[in-house]
Amino acid sequence: MKAALSGMNQTMKIPQLESPERYTGLYIFDFGGQVAVGYTAEEIAMLLESERYAEGKVYRIHRALPDGTMELQGVAREKFLMEDGLFFYRGDAETALSDFMEIDRLASKTPPPCRTKMHLAVLEGTPRSYLTAIIFPAEYTDEVSDWLNDIHFEGGDRVEGGISQVTDYYTAQPMVSERRQLWPSANRSRSAEQVLADVHNPVQRKLA
C-alpha cells in the first residue's frame, strides 16, 4: 500500500491494512528502514521521548479511503512534546465549579478526542482567579476545539488558551481542588512499556 505525502512529490510504502479508512487521524512512525502504522499522538510522544527513536519521522493520516488511498501530513517532532490548554476563568468559586462539573458531565456522554487533564483551580492574586483548565497534547488543538463546540460548552467569563498559557499556569503553581482525567472513547493510548515492546509490529492497531 502506498500513501501520498501531502505537499510533497513522494510516496511511502506502508503495511497493508484492512479498513484503512478507520485509521484516519492516527499516525505512522518511520523508524528508518521500518514503518509502523496506527499510533496515537501520545504514543508517538512516547517514542520520541525515548533515546533510541528520538530521530524518527512522524506522519499523520489526514485522509484514508476504503480503496487504500491515503494522504499523509508530516508532523514536526516538537509538536508531540508540548501541551496546549484552554482556561475558563470565573470571578467566584461556585460558577467555576459549575463549569468543571458541566465539562465532566458532557465528556461522560461525548468523550474528548484525546486524553485530557482537567483541573478546578485557584490562581491567587489575580482577577477572576477561579478557573477550570483543560490540558491536552498540542497536536490535538483543533480536535479539542471542535469537541468543545460539538458538546456546546460555553463556560468562563474569560477564556484563554495556548501553549504559553499552559507554561504560565504551571509556573504560577495554582491550588488545584479537583482533578479529572478524561479519556477518548476509542483508540486509547497504551503504556510506554507496551509501545516500546511492540515497535516491531508494522500494524499497531487492528481496526477492521
Side-chain angles (χ1 to χ4, degrees):
M1 179 183 292
K2 290 184 178 181
L5 305 186
S6 180
M8 304 169 63
N9 295 320
Q10 301 181 32
T11 59
M12 175 183 293
K13 188 172 183 179
I14 62 174
Q16 194 71 29
L17 301 171
E18 295 183 37
S19 303
E21 69 278 9
R22 294 175 65 90
Y23 289 79
T24 297
L26 293 175
Y27 296 83
I28 294 173
F29 196 88
D30 185 348
F31 293 88
Q34 175 196 342
V35 170
V37 60
Y39 288 106
T40 67
E42 290 170 307
E43 292 170 349
I44 291 292
M46 295 170 191
L47 291 171
L48 294 174
E49 287 170 351
S50 70
E51 184 176 349
R52 184 172 183 179
Y53 305 117
E55 301 303 318
K57 294 182 180 179
V58 183
Y59 303 91
R60 184 173 188 179
I61 303 172
H62 176 65
R63 179 164 51 201
L65 302 177
D67 66 1
T69 302
M70 280 191 176
E71 182 181 343
L72 308 181
Q73 293 178 327
V75 185
R77 176 182 186 273
E78 293 75 15
K79 195 74 178 286
F80 294 95
L81 305 180
M82 297 184 294
E83 290 182 312
D84 202 349
L86 287 166
F87 302 88
F88 301 91
Y89 291 90
R90 293 289 194 180
D92 63 89
E94 184 175 351
T95 49
L97 175 60
S98 178
D99 283 348
F100 181 89
M101 298 304 295
E102 179 68 357
I103 295 178
D104 194 39
R105 182 187 69 82
L106 293 169
S108 69
K109 297 180 178 180
T110 306
C114 60
R115 184 169 63 90
T116 301
K117 295 184 290 189
M118 185 167 65
H119 293 174
L120 178 65
V122 179
L123 289 172
E124 290 186 327
T126 62
R128 295 191 177 90
S129 57
Y130 302 93
L131 71 143
T132 296
I134 59 172
I135 299 171
F136 45 86
E139 175 62 8
Y140 282 99
T141 297
D142 292 341
E143 287 84 352
V144 170
S145 178
D146 290 342
W147 169 67
L148 289 170
N149 286 330
D150 289 342
I151 64 176
H152 305 293
F153 177 71
E154 298 180 353
D157 299 322
R158 186 179 87 251
V159 181
E160 296 181 354
I163 293 169
S164 63
Q165 294 290 339
V166 174
T167 301
D168 292 344
Y169 174 75
Y170 288 143
T171 301
Q173 298 183 322
M175 294 188 299
V176 180
S177 59
E178 295 280 353
R179 301 174 188 266
R180 294 284 191 280
Q181 189 85 286
L182 307 179
W183 297 94
S185 60
N187 295 327
R188 285 196 180 189
S189 297
R190 297 162 290 171
S191 68
E193 290 77 13
Q194 289 176 302
V195 170
L196 295 174
D198 289 344
V199 294
H200 61 283
N201 292 327
V203 180
Q204 292 290 310
R205 280 177 167 76
K206 301 291 187 180
L207 300 179

